[in-house]
Amino acid sequence: DYDRIHLAEWDAPIFFRDISTVSEEETWTGKRLKITHTPPGASKTVKTEFFATALTCEKGDLLTLFGHYYSRHKTAEARSSGRLV
């Protein structure tokens, strides 16, 4: 599933298509990722924050993997809308 981010402690994944903004903040405990998104069926946006540098798996750290797959999603989105040739 390369169209979402889902951590074990979350009830549901965040789909890339539902993300409105992503920001990264450097803190003294590590890099915090802030994702603003609108869950399916919801009328309000939700802000989800977590320390991405603390999370790793066999493929690498979460921050790097998220950046890779989210940028691929945004490129595909731009191509399908005709904004990128």
Side-chain angles (χ1 to χ4, degrees), residues 47-65:
K47 185 182 284 187
T48 303
E49 299 181 12
F50 57 93
F51 288 97
T53 50
L55 303 169
T56 61
C57 68
E58 66 277 356
K59 294 182 180 179
D61 69 277
L62 179 68
L63 192 57
T64 302
L65 293 170

Side-chain angles (χ1 to χ4, degrees), residues 8-76:
E9 62 268 14
W10 295 351
D11 293 333
I14 298 173
F15 290 94
F16 292 157
R17 68 175 178 264
D18 299 330
I19 296 175
S20 51
T21 63
V22 176
S23 64
E24 181 185 309
E25 181 180 78
E26 185 71 44
T27 69
W28 61 276
T29 55
K31 291 184 180 180
R32 181 186 345 212
L33 194 62
K34 297 179 180 183
I35 301 174
T36 305
H37 60 102
T38 306
S43 57
K44 292 185 189 178
T45 60
V46 176
K47 185 182 284 187
T48 303
E49 299 181 12
F50 57 93
F51 288 97
T53 50
L55 303 169
T56 61
C57 68
E58 66 277 356
K59 294 182 180 179
D61 69 277
L62 179 68
L63 192 57
T64 302
L65 293 170
F66 176 78
H68 174 76
Y69 289 109
Y70 187 63
S71 66
R72 285 179 64 183
H73 167 78
K74 294 305 283 181
T75 300

